[in-house]
Amino acid sequence: NPQQQQSFQNNQSFDQYEYQPLYDLGLDIVENNGFLIVSGNDIFSKKDSIKACGFRFDAKSKTWYKPIEQGVA
């Protein structure tokens, strides 16, 4: 249900449409302490798409992250 998904995403302080390709791959993006974190299944196989959206990989925590751009919302 796209309307239900949109209302959920409207609670976020970042522009979800910027990351639509990641949502289309079944990934999710969550806020955590000023960063956006990518989560989902089989992330490694989707790393090129994640990288194309500006995320970086942290080997220590094995997560893809990106600082939240202030003033976007």
Side-chain angles (χ1 to χ4, degrees):
N1 182 345
Q3 190 173 13
Q4 184 180 16
Q5 184 179 10
Q6 183 178 359
S7 64
F8 169 74
Q9 291 176 351
N10 282 343
N11 292 331
Q12 309 297 329
S13 67
F14 59 93
D15 183 8
Q16 306 80 19
Y17 300 105
E18 184 179 347
Y19 307 115
Q20 192 60 50
L22 301 184
Y23 290 118
D24 291 345
L25 290 172
L27 299 173
D28 197 17
I29 300 167
V30 295
E31 288 182 46
N32 188 3
N33 296 325
F35 290 90
L36 300 178
I37 308 293
V38 178
S39 63
N41 294 327
D42 201 19
I43 287 180
F44 185 76
S45 70
K46 301 165 184 168
K47 66 181 171 62
D48 292 335
S49 298
I50 297 169
K51 217 183 291 188
C53 286
F55 287 85
R56 300 180 62 169
F57 187 72
D58 178 50
K60 190 174 183 180
S61 63
K62 294 187 173 26
T63 56
W64 287 92
Y65 71 96
K66 179 179 183 177
I68 294 176
E69 296 173 18
Q70 299 301 319
V72 173

